[in-house]
Amino acid sequence: MSKTPSSRIPRRTILRAGVAAGALQITSPFILTALGETPVKIGMVNPLTGVLSALAQSEVDGAKYAEAEINKKGGILGRPVELLVEDSANDVGTGVQKTRKLIDRDQVDVILGDVNSGIAAAMGQVTNEKKVFHIVPGGHTDTITGTDCHWNVFRVCNDTTMDTSAITPELVKRFGKKWFFITPDYAYGHSLQDGFIKALKKLGGTYDGDYLPINNQDFSATLIKAKGYKPDVLLNNMGGLTQINCMKQIVQFGLQKDMALGGALFEFETVKALQPEAQAGWWVMEWWWDQPKVPEVGKFVADYRAATKKTPSARDWFGYVSMHTVRVAAEKAKSLDGPKLSLTMEDMELPPDVALQAGKVRYRAGDHELMPSVFIGQMHPPKAGPDDVYTIEAAVPGDDAAGPVADTGCKMVHPA
Amino acid sequence: MSSATAIAARDEQPLYRRWLPLAVMSLALITAPLWFPRLGGYTALASGVLVFGLAAMGLNLLLGFTGVLSFGHAAYFGLGAYGAGLMLKYVAPSTPLAILVGTLLGGLAGTLFGLLIVRRRGVYFAMCTIAFGQIFYYIAYKWNDFTGGFDGLRGFHREPIGFGALAFDITNDTPFYYFTLLVFAIAVALMGLLLRSPFGRTLRAIRENERRARFLGIPVERHIWLSFSISCFFTALAGTLYALLNNFADPLALHYSQSGYFVIMAVLGGMRSFWGPLLGAAVFWVLKDFLSSALPTEWMAFLGAIFMLSVLFFPRGMLGMLKRRGVE
Amino acid sequence: MLTLILYNVTNGLMLGAFYVLMALGLSLILNLSNVINFAHGNFLALGAYMALELTKVVGFWGAFLIAPLLTALFGVAVELLMRFVYRRDPVYSLLLTFGLAFVMQGLMLWWWGPTPQEMHMVPALEAPVSADLFFITWYRVFMVAIVIVTVIGVFAFLRYTRVGLRIRAGTLDLDTVSALGVNVKLLRTFNFTMGCLLAGLSGVLATGAIGINPNMGDDLLMPSFIAIIIGGVGSLTGTLFGGLLIGVTAALTAAVYPAASEVVIFVMLVLVLLIRPRGLMGEEGMLT
């Protein structure tokens, strides 16, 4: 029996590699304590690989920037802050597993995540079970601060009701009441369209639309139908990368000549990926870097650009706010204990250099949703610079757009 | 080296030599919650290893012992998970019932599907298994109202097992690990018995030379179908445990990439050995966890490279190589 | 009403043409080498990224010609790895391409980043053919024209050239072809490269309709797969019809019940597997 070269595995090499890997695992938790005080650990779980990676990466960037900023100013409760980032790979199983890892192995005090609202909700179950404080920077589905609300979960980004009720009156006023929806067929898409329909009906509007597969590539059939319907406004509710494809095809078919374009969210990361002709329409931004009337914003943007060489988007801001929220809440509560932080956070206002917008920005007590202004404006090809692709026309206060807590379906139950 | 001499060589070893590896492994598994966290692991990861180990071993009944490649076993894994989750959410808060229903759902689906494709072989068989798996994936993620769609199935959790005072609460990670270990042990014992039986030997015969088996009068298609079906039951059982581990069922558990993971685990550990897939699952799962934490954005390339390297240079898998050396 | 149906059928044929291109490449590789190329979607993405980079240097038309060739070259390198596993159990070649898909996606994510990119198209191509036929842009016409030319080219190549003949013979019985003195290694390399060329070409063409990102090819892998199974494994004509059939069905469904336009191709798959497992044009015994 001859031994072919490929079967002579140098067992020593495998053993060495295994020992090295094992050693790394053992030593990593110990490395930081050698530096002095036990840090405040915050764990972020986000889909850094997969279709949501661009948005997730921005949130991580914002959080890392905040981490550096907080540490420069003395940390949280006098202790340094350490941000641990894990990839959920856009998969619930992985997201839940990493959450457990951060809590059990790394002993984090706070969990942040996930962009994917399904994963965020699943993580919420874990953090609730383990009584760990949890902030959702950018997962949009309504149930997180609605029917599935938990005492330990807070959210930064808006829910679909806020976005849709904010922009609907503006779109109706400018363009008309006959609308056509292009919506992805899953929970987020449904709640978005339902939100729009509710707001539209209040103003006496009519509508038609198509539910499409989440990752739909070709929109021709729907656009043929839309053209036939002759709406005043065509709403592109698709998410992420499919939103880009939809816009591209809308513009290629020349539909923007016959009808106005609009919708709820259009993320800055995806706006930049559009060709100039497709940068059109009226959209909601949950935060925008160009707010001339607010001085804190100008300073923040300048510092952020210097540090990261990019202009912050709403996602960067979500990550930034999440980290600073922990700092502000911990300092106010003088503790990192979950239930105490949670009580402190209710109706807590963010200071102006964190809120970075006009008005009072606070976490509503009833459902733990942050109430920033909802920005409404127009997307356009770059004017004053490559990032100047959106102009704010109006800002609706969050409370007005959100509607009463009772409508969200949230029954907040605090631990005894 | 022929298998006859191999068996003879193995039988010549003293009894304790044969049972020692098994004893060591059992000890390691039983005490895992004590030593695993010290090495940088965490109990939920260990439970995950058992779940995926079971799934991979189930697949290996078909792949390694019968010689038939299925690249769509995640469908049954996922059906097990959804079955268990749906039972817990809509029907009854009973963990044993959920496990039973989930296993039956996945197993029966596999049994029926097996009937359809049992005459195919090789790559075409694999293609059909992939396609079929994707059908269930699409059903899971389109049926928003029932399965929760793209966002997955939520709203259920592990229920204590037993009645009243005898209830065994598996909500926390450590009790759940031991529960999983128990289920794993029972399943694996069953599998072992199956493989030692005449049925098991027939499967190996089919793997070695299908034509000769046919000439010997063995109903090959029936055996392949049975092997397929049984492997689906075991994989579905693993799926139910997965749903309980996460308190969540999601469509990606059904995706062909998940199927690919099972195959990799079996091959990495050693297709031709019984415990190979468990070892493969342990290495793969821990490695994936470690890599994705160390390199959150680049881990995919490294993991893929490891797959490719192991396929190119370690086709027999870890246990496969150790076995050869031991016997020689 | 009739115009609407005609519109949607035309739409479907255009969509189908794209699926045909992807599926054809996958089919070529499958037929001769018995390998399911799980990384086919990633080759598409690679083609698109190559085109993106090349446009900056040689403009759109240059990129259009060169990008598929570069992708094919990458395919040559990959095929060299595949040689290690041809002789073995099919599971290894599947795992190899499966692992390759991960590697390619990871590398593309790392190099070009997660942010989606836009390729600047020749403006003349972006406009619709006419006001009535607004959904037929010159770009789509161009794409269909390229697909037709390519398909005819591939079929003619296989029919009338010596290498093509050997490939066709090889799909039926590679051992005999080898025994007849043909360099099977080179043949397989050539075949695999052709498949990758088609994937790269698909990628370049895709940039006109969808944005460029590392995941862009993922959702096209399954429909191509299904096109092959429905059309009949082992038959390229079958793949051709399979792709068109899927395209038309998906488009018509999108017009009537859009949410189901993805699922309907799986329904067709189940029907085919139940009623005629060898596919529309498959021959019994192919690739068993």
Side-chain angles (χ1 to χ4, degrees):
Chain A
M1 166 101 60
S2 61
K3 288 198 176 105
T4 50
S6 60
S7 69
R8 283 197 73 86
I9 341 83
R11 246 196 306 199
R12 260 178 258 129
T13 320
I14 301 178
L15 284 173
R16 270 197 218 122
V19 168
L24 255 156
Q25 284 274 41
I26 300 173
T27 53
S28 48
F30 299 142
I31 288 176
L32 239 57
T33 48
L35 291 170
E37 303 209 35
T38 36
V40 173
K41 290 194 206 165
I42 301 182
M44 185 178 229
V45 178
N46 247 349
L48 295 167
T49 56
V51 293
L52 295 171
S53 47
L55 306 175
Q57 189 57 53
S58 293
E59 284 187 11
V60 170
D61 293 341
K64 282 208 175 124
Y65 179 81
E67 179 196 16
E69 205 178 65
I70 295 175
N71 277 332
K72 240 187 278 181
K73 296 195 184 146
I76 297 182
L77 297 176
R79 296 157 60 187
V81 171
E82 193 192 342
L83 178 70
L84 301 167
V85 179
E86 294 280 357
D87 177 24
S88 66
N90 218 27
D91 166 35
V92 173
T94 310
V96 167
Q97 184 195 322
K98 294 299 186 179
T99 309
R100 282 187 202 278
K101 180 180 192 176
L102 287 166
I103 297 176
D104 293 339
R105 186 189 89 144
D106 301 315
Q107 311 270 305
V108 297
D109 300 290
V110 178
I111 289 274
L112 305 179
D114 185 287
V115 171
N116 178 324
S117 23
I119 301 181
M123 285 167 64
Q125 265 183 204
V126 178
T127 54
N128 190 43
E129 176 197 313
K130 295 190 182 270
K131 307 203 192 322
V132 172
F133 195 60
H134 181 180
I135 302 181
V136 180
H140 284 82
T141 207
D142 284 16
T143 55
I144 292 175
T145 52
T147 48
D148 281 344
C149 66
H150 295 296
W151 63 264
N152 66 315
V153 178
F154 285 77
R155 174 161 58 183
V156 176
C157 71
N158 300 342
D159 68 4
T160 53
T161 312
M162 288 167 77
D163 291 341
T164 52
S165 17
I167 199 170
T168 304
E170 197 65 35
L171 288 175
V172 167
K173 191 174 78 180
R174 280 176 196 266
F175 304 112
K177 312 194 255 210
K178 192 175 176 200
W179 289 12
F180 190 90
F181 296 104
I182 305 178
T183 311
D185 187 21
Y186 72 119
Y188 169 70
H190 281 270
S191 67
L192 204 58
Q193 185 162 321
D194 290 344
F196 269 124
I197 291 174
K198 194 164 152 201
L200 183 65
K201 276 207 182 134
K202 249 194 264 183
L203 299 168
T206 55
Y207 64 92
D208 192 2
D210 272 354
Y211 279 113
L212 295 175
I214 300 170
N215 294 320
N216 193 54
Q217 308 259 27
D218 183 86
F219 295 88
S220 339
T222 304
L223 293 176
I224 292 175
K225 188 170 165 190
K227 177 132 178 165
Y229 184 68
K230 299 201 208 312
D232 298 315
V233 189
L234 178 63
L235 285 105
N236 181 353
N237 289 333
M238 304 302 290
L241 303 166
T242 39
Q243 201 175 24
I244 299 177
N245 301 340
C246 189
M247 281 304 280
K248 239 178 121 106
Q249 290 171 34
I250 290 175
V251 169
Q252 278 177 348
F253 293 178
L255 285 175
Q256 76 278 22
K257 301 186 199 130
D258 305 322
M259 54 194 85
L261 303 176
L265 276 183
F266 212 119
E267 313 256 8
F268 186 39
E269 289 81 0
T270 41
V271 170
K272 288 201 279 195
L274 290 170
Q275 76 232 63
E277 305 79 61
Q279 285 167 332
W282 283 75
W283 311 92
V284 168
M285 283 287 176
E286 297 187 314
W287 183 82
W288 185 245
W289 65 269
D290 186 19
Q291 297 178 51
K293 299 198 189 122
V294 185
E296 289 89 354
V297 174
K299 179 175 186 309
F300 171 72
V301 172
D303 292 341
Y304 200 85
R305 276 176 173 159
T308 61
K309 312 268 181 289
K310 71 168 195 173
T311 306
S313 71
R315 294 280 172 181
D316 294 90
W317 182 71
F318 292 159
Y320 182 78
V321 168
S322 306
M323 293 289 283
H324 275 287
T325 301
V326 177
R327 173 183 64 86
V328 174
E331 275 160 14
K332 202 163 158 206
K334 308 241 184 304
S335 147
L336 281 166
D337 172 52
K340 286 210 189 105
L341 276 179
S342 168
L343 283 170
T344 316
M345 288 258 297
E346 291 187 348
D347 282 329
M348 183 180 87
E349 247 184 66
L350 292 175
D353 58 347
V354 176
L356 295 173
Q357 54 194 275
K360 286 200 201 310
V361 180
R362 77 183 204 297
Y363 287 98
R364 192 157 72 166
D367 57 356
H368 294 183
E369 176 70 68
L370 186 69
M371 294 282 143
S373 303
V374 183
F375 295 111
I376 300 166
Q378 200 178 16
M379 200 198 327
H380 50 72
K383 285 186 194 159
D387 295 319
D388 183 18
V389 286
Y390 181 81
T391 307
I392 301 176
E393 302 284 343
V396 178
D399 284 286
D400 297 346
V405 175
D407 284 354
T408 63
C410 174
K411 304 240 185 315
M412 194 65 68
V413 177
H414 283 277
Chain B
M1 163 111 32
S2 74
S3 32
T5 10
I7 294 174
R10 199 184 66 215
D11 284 341
E12 268 163 25
Q13 291 175 322
L15 203 67
Y16 75 87
R17 278 288 288 282
R18 277 161 56 194
W19 288 102
L20 192 64
L22 186 62
V24 170
M25 190 190 72
S26 309
L27 193 65
L29 284 176
I30 293 175
T31 55
L34 296 170
W35 58 265
F36 198 49
R38 278 177 216 283
L39 284 181
Y42 48 105
T43 313
L45 188 66
S47 306
V49 167
L50 287 178
V51 168
F52 285 99
L54 181 60
M57 288 173 84
L59 169 68
N60 205 36
L61 269 176
L62 187 67
L63 178 64
F65 287 97
T66 318
V68 173
L69 170 63
S70 162
F71 221 88
H73 255 55
Y76 318 107
F77 183 74
L79 278 172
Y82 273 95
L86 288 167
M87 277 305 288
L88 281 170
K89 183 167 182 177
Y90 293 122
V91 180
S94 157
T95 301
L97 188 63
I99 293 180
L100 183 67
V101 169
T103 312
L104 281 175
L105 187 63
L108 287 173
T111 311
L112 289 172
F113 178 60
L115 278 174
L116 271 182
I117 59 167
V118 76
R119 282 189 201 290
R120 312 285 144 196
R121 292 286 181 279
V123 172
Y124 188 43
F125 185 88
M127 281 182 82
C128 289
T129 59
I130 297 174
F132 192 70
Q134 289 303 99
I135 293 174
F136 283 110
Y137 168 69
Y138 272 106
I139 295 177
Y141 108 57
K142 285 252 57 134
W143 203 348
N144 294 322
D145 298 329
F146 189 50
T147 64
F150 180 68
D151 289 329
L153 186 67
R154 274 202 315 280
F156 65 90
H157 54 274
R158 310 168 200 157
E159 298 287 339
I161 305 170
F163 307 98
L166 289 170
F168 180 48
D169 187 359
I170 48 171
T171 313
N172 289 324
D173 285 341
T174 312
F176 184 69
Y177 172 78
Y178 284 111
F179 172 68
T180 310
L181 186 58
L182 180 68
V183 175
F184 177 80
I186 297 174
V188 160
L190 278 173
M191 242 191 264
L193 280 173
L194 199 71
L195 284 170
R196 274 184 210 282
S197 72
F199 177 71
R201 292 190 210 283
T202 316
L203 292 182
R204 283 194 195 78
I206 295 175
R207 173 190 76 196
E208 293 302 326
N209 193 326
E210 188 183 316
R211 216 178 285 177
R212 191 189 294 177
R214 213 185 286 271
F215 287 161
L216 285 171
I218 294 174
V220 170
E221 264 76 38
R222 174 139 42 104
H223 276 82
I224 290 182
W225 172 61
L226 279 172
S227 171
F228 189 87
S229 169
I230 294 172
S231 77
C232 291
F233 273 100
F234 279 110
T235 307
L237 176 63
T240 62
L241 292 172
Y242 186 65
L244 292 171
L245 174 64
N246 291 329
N247 288 327
F248 208 93
D250 79 298
L252 265 174
L254 296 153
H255 196 259
Y256 71 79
S257 52
Q258 184 73 272
S259 302
Y261 292 157
F262 293 150
V263 178
I264 270 275
M265 289 178 211
V267 170
L268 198 63
M271 282 196 292
R272 292 294 174 100
S273 89
F274 184 67
W275 293 108
L278 177 63
L279 185 59
V283 171
F284 176 78
W285 203 236
V286 174
L287 193 64
K288 181 168 179 264
D289 187 66
F290 174 62
L291 274 176
S292 61
S293 298
L295 305 161
T297 43
E298 303 93 351
W299 61 271
M300 285 186 93
F302 282 95
L303 195 66
I306 291 175
F307 287 1
M308 292 178 76
L309 288 172
S310 62
V311 162
L312 289 170
F313 302 119
F314 303 119
R316 291 189 186 281
M318 295 185 286
L319 279 187
M321 289 172 331
L322 287 173
K323 233 200 211 175
R324 260 184 90 188
R325 292 179 141 238
V327 171
E328 282 158 32
Chain C
M1 189 66 223
L2 189 62
T3 33
L4 207 61
I5 295 181
L6 269 173
Y7 276 11
N8 282 302
V9 170
T10 318
N11 218 17
L13 287 170
M14 290 192 278
L15 201 60
F18 189 76
Y19 284 139
V20 163
L21 200 61
M22 266 298 265
L24 215 55
L26 198 60
S27 194
L28 275 172
I29 297 174
L30 181 64
N31 292 348
L32 183 69
S33 315
N34 247 19
V35 168
I36 301 177
N37 185 12
F38 277 112
H40 213 67
N42 304 86
F43 277 100
L44 181 150
L46 184 65
Y49 274 115
M50 296 275 103
L52 178 72
E53 297 296 331
L54 285 168
T55 319
K56 300 175 192 167
V57 181
V58 289
F60 176 72
W61 297 109
F64 174 73
L65 286 172
I66 303 178
L69 293 171
L70 283 180
T71 317
L73 240 121
F74 184 72
V76 172
V78 167
E79 204 272 340
L80 292 175
L81 287 175
M82 305 261 357
R83 289 188 184 187
F84 282 91
V85 296
Y86 280 137
R87 234 173 278 281
R88 301 195 209 135
D89 199 282
V91 69
Y92 296 108
S93 49
L94 283 191
L95 286 178
L96 196 68
T97 58
F98 185 69
L100 180 66
F102 271 76
V103 172
M104 285 179 79
Q105 192 171 76
L107 287 176
M108 286 191 286
L109 179 66
W110 170 68
W111 187 259
W112 280 286
T115 318
Q117 317 238 24
E118 185 60 35
M119 190 162 102
H120 292 288
M121 198 69 48
V122 176
L125 282 179
E126 298 249 273
V129 168
S130 78
D132 278 335
L133 296 171
F134 67 92
F135 62 96
I136 305 182
T137 58
W138 282 112
Y139 190 76
R140 297 183 96 191
V141 173
F142 172 67
M143 181 198 72
V144 172
I146 294 292
V147 171
I148 293 177
V149 166
T150 312
V151 168
I152 292 177
V154 169
F155 276 86
F157 175 80
L158 289 173
R159 189 42 120 67
Y160 298 116
T161 65
R162 227 171 2 175
V163 183
L165 178 65
R166 286 172 188 166
I167 291 179
R168 275 191 298 135
T171 61
L172 291 170
D173 188 342
L174 199 58
D175 289 326
T176 309
V177 171
S178 171
L180 287 172
V182 173
N183 187 340
V184 164
K185 282 193 192 145
L186 271 180
L187 201 66
R188 276 205 268 238
T189 309
F190 187 79
N191 184 57
F192 192 85
T193 314
M194 252 208 312
C196 293
L197 183 83
L198 290 174
L201 183 63
S202 310
V204 181
L205 289 174
T207 59
I210 61 181
I212 305 177
N213 67 86
N215 296 89
M216 64 191 285
D218 296 355
D219 291 310
L220 289 161
L221 189 62
M222 265 305 126
S224 309
F225 224 66
I226 294 175
I228 295 176
I229 298 183
I230 290 180
V233 178
S235 159
L236 282 181
T237 336
T239 307
L240 180 62
F241 277 104
L244 289 173
L245 185 62
I246 288 184
V248 174
T249 318
L252 286 175
T253 317
V256 173
Y257 186 42
S261 56
E262 231 179 4
V263 178
V264 71
I265 51 182
F266 284 98
V267 172
M268 286 200 307
L269 174 72
V270 174
L271 287 173
V272 166
L273 282 178
L274 283 172
I275 303 173
R276 195 184 158 95
R278 72 180 107 111
L280 292 174
M281 296 182 183
E283 293 150 22
E284 197 58 64
M286 287 300 297
L287 272 183
T288 43

